[in-house]
Amino acid sequence: MPYFFAEEELLDRDGIVAVQRRKFAAMVRAVLAGNAFYRGKLADVQSSQTDVAVESFPFTTRAELQQDQISHSPFGTNLTFSLDQYTRLHQTSASFGEPLRVLDRNADWEWWRRCWGIIYRGAGVEPGDRFFFPFSFGPFIGFWAAFESAVAMGNMCLPAGGMTTSARLRSIVDHKVTVICCTPTYALRMAEAAREEGVNLAGSAVRLLIVAGEPGGSIPSTRTAIEAAFTARVVDHAGATEVGPHSFECVESPGGVHFIESEFIVEAIDPRSGNTVGEGEEGELVVTNLGRWGMPVIRYRTGDLVRLRRGQCRCGRHFARAEGGILGRIDDMIFIRGNNVYPAQIEDIMRGIDGLAEYRIHVCRRGALNDLALELEPLPGVDAGAVQRRAEKAIQDRFHFRPSVRLAPPGTLPRFEMKARRVVREA
Ligand SMILES: [Zn+2]
């Protein structure tokens, strides 16, 4: 049973467009009736309400939403209904400046659960699967939505916040967990801890890891490393607090994510001109969510870079795919010696290097130019010089420049439970 809502998941392109138009028109009517933020933004659109093609709407940016919450503290004006209808308050991490608050009503939360149902079924989750969520249940929305959606589907779920990695490993083995939801980085951290402590993860019942929060789930060498350690399958998922859980990797076509186009309208644009890019070209992901009327986003510029492809997938869906998953964040691009380098590309190289436990990227300015230095932490007991030579050669082969490399003693580079920060920008 690979579908959660087959009626919409199996629509062809014309069917998808028809559903999107119907849902978008209904949402816009509700939003224009009650939402001060969008009423202001859409003043020009209102006069031609019969044509509700999403392309005629202006973009929404993160900076606008943040400024709105600063000007109208604490929740801003992107609220379609009166405040007493909202039941959930979450906020983003502070990794992109001021945290952004998001409010949802129960109806919006049902929409989150429907999206997650599609993600889980698409990823191959089955009724008897037992879930493990190794992270702290703080204000971040993604974990709550993933957890409650799995419960709603009838699966047994273990919240594992406030535990050490060792305690989590024991819990995974003892409780015969079959599905783990975490960041790719934390999956690798658990694998490392299991090696150190002699825990046999490969012999555990885990068969699926659904990873999110970083590009790693679609980075070939990262997923290979996780899959080898757990002898389990890695499935990538992406979403954003202010947008929703928009995409998932299906079982039949690894190496990319489908957008849930029955619940989101997705576009890829040239970040400079704002024009739509051609099919298969790199562009900034722009998303409109269709079922979160309480605090919607219309044509939201995510800052994520994707290569979109349309057409029917082996899984039967016509939902657009981002080839290679989310390729990186536009802000994270590093321009070095004539190359545009994304941290995800370096991660792909680093995770393929034998004997390397962890790494960090230092970007230093030398006059008008950037320089890249790698800090490498070899596994205990391996030949550090050999690890260094392999890393230098791999970067040189891929990008045609020689990075400066320094070695870090075992166990000294940071490990992460949430999104990893492996790029250090030095003045
Ligand atoms: Zn598919």
Side-chain angles (χ1 to χ4, degrees), residues 53-71:
V54 73
E55 293 81 7
S56 62
F57 286 70
F59 294 119
T60 304
T61 64
R62 170 90 178 212
E64 277 177 286
L65 297 177
Q66 276 168 334
Q67 187 52 52
D68 177 56
Q69 293 195 345
I70 291 167
S71 307

Side-chain angles (χ1 to χ4, degrees), residues 214-232:
E214 303 169 331
S218 287
I219 296 175
S221 58
T222 301
R223 61 188 291 148
T224 302
I226 299 170
E227 290 184 335
F230 286 82
T231 56

Side-chain angles (χ1 to χ4, degrees), residues 182-185 187-188 209-227 233-239 246-250 253-259 305-307 321-328 343-349 351:
C182 61
T183 60
T185 291
L188 289 171
L209 292 104
I210 299 173
V211 298
E214 303 169 331
S218 287
I219 296 175
S221 58
T222 301
R223 61 188 291 148
T224 302
I226 299 170
E227 290 184 335
R233 179 165 190 157
V234 167
V235 165
D236 197 11
H237 152 65
H246 52 59
S247 54
F248 66 99
E249 184 178 338
C250 69
S253 293
V257 293
H258 279 293
F259 291 94
L305 197 76
V306 292
R307 262 197 308 269
R321 265 179 104 244
E323 286 182 328
I326 305 292
L327 303 172
Q345 294 172 309
I346 297 178
E347 175 170 340
D348 190 26
I349 293 169
R351 293 294 174 215

Side-chain angles (χ1 to χ4, degrees), residues 250 252-253 258 313-315 317 321:
C250 69
E252 286 78 3
S253 293
H258 279 293
C313 177
R314 282 190 292 272
C315 68
R317 296 177 186 87
R321 265 179 104 244

